[in-house]
Amino acid sequence: MRRYLSFFLSIALLFLIITCKQNVARTEKTIQSEQATVLVDESIQPIVEDLVQVFESKYNAKITIVAKSEAEVIQALS
């Protein structure tokens, strides 16, 4: 009986992996071609601005930076 259960779970897991890979392949939206808003602590804003500038020059993306205090960023995420 345990052998059949193990076989069934293996087949179910294989089916799940195959269907998940197919769904990922169908999605066209990525950060590399879309728009995103990023909440950033004010203390690291200059560093993040440089990173965003490099990223936007390489990919067709638009990233909006919203600089707030640490407490405001945490509050906005909840």
Side-chain angles (χ1 to χ4, degrees), residues 1 6 9 13 15 22 28 41 46 50 57 70 72-73:
M1 182 69 176
S6 176
L9 290 176
L13 182 63
F15 178 74
Q22 289 175 352
E28 296 293 327
D41 188 349
D50 291 341
S57 69
E70 181 181 355
E72 290 174 326
V73 169

Side-chain angles (χ1 to χ4, degrees), residues 30-38 48-49 51-66:
T30 64
I31 187 61
Q32 298 172 349
S33 63
E34 292 294 321
Q35 182 175 346
T37 301
V38 179
V48 175
E49 285 177 346
L51 292 172
V52 166
Q53 189 176 22
V54 170
F55 186 85
E56 288 178 342
S57 69
K58 186 170 182 169
Y59 300 106
N60 184 24
K62 175 65 180 146
I63 299 177
T64 306
I65 300 173
V66 178

Side-chain angles (χ1 to χ4, degrees), residues 1-27:
M1 182 69 176
R2 186 177 182 139
R3 187 174 179 190
Y4 292 116
L5 180 62
S6 176
F7 176 74
F8 176 74
L9 290 176
S10 299
I11 296 297
L13 182 63
L14 180 65
F15 178 74
L16 181 65
I17 291 171
I18 290 171
T19 57
C20 287
K21 284 186 179 181
Q22 289 175 352
N23 289 340
V24 171
R26 292 182 195 162
T27 58

